[in-house]
Amino acid sequence: LRLHDGKSQRKVLLNQLQHHTQYNGLTGWADVEALEASAGGAKLLLVHLESLGRSCHVNSANLFLVSPNLMARPVDQTMIIIEAKLKVHEGGPPVQARLVVDSGCQLEGVLSSDFVRRQGWQAIPSSVNIHTADGRQLHGLKHIVANSHLAPGFTRQVNYGVLDLPGFDGLLG
């Protein structure tokens, strides 16, 4: 989030543009109020493109919220990112997390070890073994169980594995 000219703005990733494809993978800033107003259906929103130093109108269906340290990705590596509130059983308030949806994830979910450390949560050792995308097998994966508020009226308990995920708070399988 940032405050610019008296308005709250969110960082967004432009992706899946059919026309003006040169903008795919760029990041920019959009007014929070306009983003929230587009929740009921796609709308043209003004986005300030940092790298080009100019603004353009973009269909909200082609804007994706990004976490503070997420790098821009090319269009062939499209990611869907959701925001969730996680609450572990150790107590404390719910914590906002930005999770990349990964339908190929072997686990129900994965949290970044850096994210877990920043929250002060303790991961529990387990006997779970997983295969990574590069073919390695990890033994004794640590995990955290968290109530995950994924959408209004939809909360579920998710068993998250804990792995090094640079650039992401976590994955949701």
Side-chain angles (χ1 to χ4, degrees):
L1 272 171
R2 79 173 185 178
L3 189 61
H4 182 72
D5 292 335
K7 293 188 176 200
S8 295
Q9 295 184 328
R10 291 289 308 262
K11 194 166 199 173
V12 293
L13 173 73
L14 284 69
N15 216 343
Q16 300 177 346
L17 295 167
Q18 301 300 310
H19 305 287
H20 305 290
T21 57
Q22 71 271 21
Y23 297 124
N24 284 327
L26 295 181
T27 57
W29 293 92
D31 289 348
V32 170
E33 189 174 301
L35 286 166
E36 289 174 351
S38 70
K43 294 185 169 123
L44 282 180
L45 302 181
L46 186 64
V47 177
H48 176 72
L49 302 172
E50 290 180 298
S51 61
L52 301 179
R54 66 176 192 225
S55 298
C56 64
H57 285 91
V58 180
N59 187 314
S60 60
N62 300 105
L63 298 176
F64 300 85
L65 299 177
V66 295
S67 62
N69 54 355
L70 180 63
M71 302 299 292
R73 305 282 184 199
V75 70
D76 62 347
Q77 296 178 13
T78 301
M79 296 175 290
I80 298 173
I81 300 170
I82 63 170
E83 292 184 344
K85 291 197 183 294
L86 308 181
K87 182 162 177 49
V88 297
H89 296 290
E90 297 170 8
V95 174
Q96 179 123 356
R98 290 175 184 88
L99 306 174
V100 175
V101 176
D102 180 3
S103 61
C105 185
Q106 184 178 344
L107 302 170
E108 188 175 14
V110 177
L111 292 177
S112 160
S113 54
D114 288 337
F115 178 79
V116 169
R117 190 173 22 263
R118 283 193 312 269
Q119 305 314 318
W121 296 340
Q122 295 298 314
I124 303 165
S126 73
S127 59
V128 173
N129 299 323
I130 64 163
H131 294 280
T132 62
D134 63 5
R136 292 181 300 133
Q137 185 170 7
L138 297 177
H139 304 281
L141 181 70
K142 292 185 176 184
H143 73 275
I144 286 182
V145 177
N147 286 327
S148 304
H149 182 72
L150 303 170
F154 184 73
T155 300
R156 65 173 290 159
Q157 192 173 49
V158 176
N159 188 6
Y160 292 97
V162 178
L163 294 170
D164 291 332
L165 294 173
F168 303 105
D169 293 341
L171 302 174
L172 190 62

